[in-house]
Amino acid sequence: MATVDTAPAESPAPPVQRSGGPTASRVPPTQPLTTPGETRAALLPPAHPPAESNSTTLIGSVQRAMRLLEAVASREHGAPAKQLAREAGLALPTAYHLLRTLAHEGYLRRDKGLFFLGESAERLSSSGAQQKRRSTMSDALAHWRDEIGVPVYYANYRDGEIDVICVADSPAAPAVEEWADFRETGHAHAIGQCLLSQLDDKARRDHLDRYPVQSITPYTVRDNDSLLRRLERTGRMEPVVERQEYALGAVCAAIPITAGSTAATMAISLPSHQADRLLPAARRLQSEIGRMLGTLAISISI
């Protein structure tokens, strides 16, 4: 099972000391600024040009284009070029040129003289929203990992595939290593069994036709029919538990999550010698999820 690495926070860059600022050293008024020999040297170009200030490294056309995009985004029913130019503080010829370019690249679309956000801009917005939902889910998993002291997983079933979206673990509570492809071994781990239990019989059989049962440890279910019977007996909101069926030395429990039509689950794992902690920890996680489900409902769909 893949883990999500958390990069260490970067140290902030030291403040840049600018000439003439509060931290710059001041020359006493009685001291000459240059000596005669220095005067000529001061007229020569420096061997290494000074670094450009922030303002001179910015690209004006990009700034102007972004102001136009913001102006369009603020107008739900579109706006003509003249209005957009005025709101962005641009000359009309400049605004026309940038609007045509943005429309050509798909960031804007023009309809009856009005400009609207285009598909490219909408994809950016959708991607940003998805990242925010993923971040919300990752933060929740990390909180429960620390509170309960177990690795926590989130997965869903989409387009016929098991997809582990987020994993929160730590050196003290490591996740189970994905030593066999998680999508192909859904029959063997609690996450897969929990997701398959939420599907109808046709969808389950379709999945098993593509990924038939195979024994990967001595404890793995032996055939498709045995697995289907087990799934039929699974309680609707009961945790699904497997003991060393996917990985020797590990026990797992997965909790079904109902959010619209998405089959989803959150799961935990523990070393097999701590198996007595598994169900109490799963029940605690289930209770925590219940309290936060309203907040997480949109994130479930990622």
Side-chain angles (χ1 to χ4, degrees):
M1 184 178 300
T3 60
V4 175
D5 295 328
T6 303
E10 295 182 355
S11 301
V16 177
Q17 183 171 327
R18 299 189 181 279
S19 177
T23 59
S25 59
R26 300 180 64 83
V27 179
T30 57
Q31 179 178 338
L33 295 178
T34 60
T35 64
E38 293 172 331
T39 303
R40 181 176 179 180
L43 298 176
L44 298 175
H48 300 285
E52 294 181 323
S53 66
N54 287 341
S55 61
T56 59
T57 60
L58 300 178
I59 299 175
S61 59
V62 175
Q63 291 177 305
R64 292 188 286 271
M66 296 304 294
R67 290 206 300 270
L68 282 172
L69 282 172
E70 290 173 352
V72 174
S74 69
R75 298 289 175 177
E76 181 181 354
H77 302 293
K82 288 183 179 180
Q83 181 180 354
L84 295 171
R86 184 169 59 252
E87 292 182 4
L90 302 177
L92 188 57
T94 300
Y96 270 128
H97 175 72
L98 291 170
L99 289 168
R100 285 198 304 270
T101 302
L102 290 168
H104 179 269
E105 296 297 325
Y107 291 98
L108 295 179
R109 61 181 177 86
R110 188 175 185 179
D111 184 17
K112 298 179 182 178
L114 302 179
F115 287 91
F116 302 83
L117 290 180
E119 290 184 2
S120 295
E122 290 170 356
R123 281 197 299 271
L124 286 177
S125 175
S126 174
S127 177
Q130 185 178 32
Q131 289 179 8
K132 184 176 181 179
R133 293 195 299 269
R134 187 181 294 270
S135 177
T136 299
M137 181 63 70
S138 296
D139 290 345
L141 264 60
H143 170 75
W144 292 326
R145 172 202 63 201
D146 297 339
E147 286 293 310
I148 305 175
V150 294
V152 186
Y153 313 77
Y154 169 68
N156 62 22
Y157 195 85
R158 189 186 301 277
D159 299 326
E161 299 292 347
I162 294 168
D163 189 8
V164 179
I165 306 292
C166 305
V167 182
D169 68 346
S170 68
V176 176
E177 181 182 356
E178 185 180 354
W179 72 275
D181 191 313
F182 231 61
R183 293 173 303 174
E184 298 179 4
T185 56
H187 61 281
H189 47 74
I191 287 175
Q193 293 174 20
C194 187
L195 291 173
L196 291 174
S197 72
Q198 298 175 59
L199 306 180
D200 60 29
D201 184 67
K202 180 179 179 182
R204 290 174 190 167
R205 292 181 181 277
D206 172 74
H207 183 89
L208 294 175
D209 284 343
R210 290 178 289 117
Y211 302 117
V213 167
Q214 52 181 316
S215 295
I216 58 176
T217 80
Y219 304 95
T220 309
V221 64
R222 289 291 180 249
D223 54 64
N224 287 7
D225 289 338
S226 298
L227 176 65
L228 289 170
R229 286 194 296 271
R230 181 194 294 187
L231 296 176
E232 286 292 338
R233 294 194 300 269
T234 302
R236 183 171 176 272
M237 296 307 295
E238 287 297 307
V240 174
V241 175
E242 61 90 357
R243 294 177 172 84
Q244 303 190 83
E245 294 181 49
Y246 175 77
L248 293 176
V251 295
C252 303
I255 298 158
I257 297 175
T258 301
S261 59
T262 302
T265 182
M266 289 188 191
I268 62 173
S269 63
L270 282 166
S272 55
H273 67 272
Q274 297 182 28
D276 59 324
R277 290 183 55 205
L278 187 66
L279 273 177
R283 295 293 187 191
R284 182 176 174 188
L285 177 61
Q286 190 170 31
S287 176
E288 294 283 343
I289 294 170
R291 282 196 289 269
M292 287 189 65
L293 190 57
T295 303
L296 294 173
I298 296 178
S299 300
I300 295 297
S301 64
I302 60 177

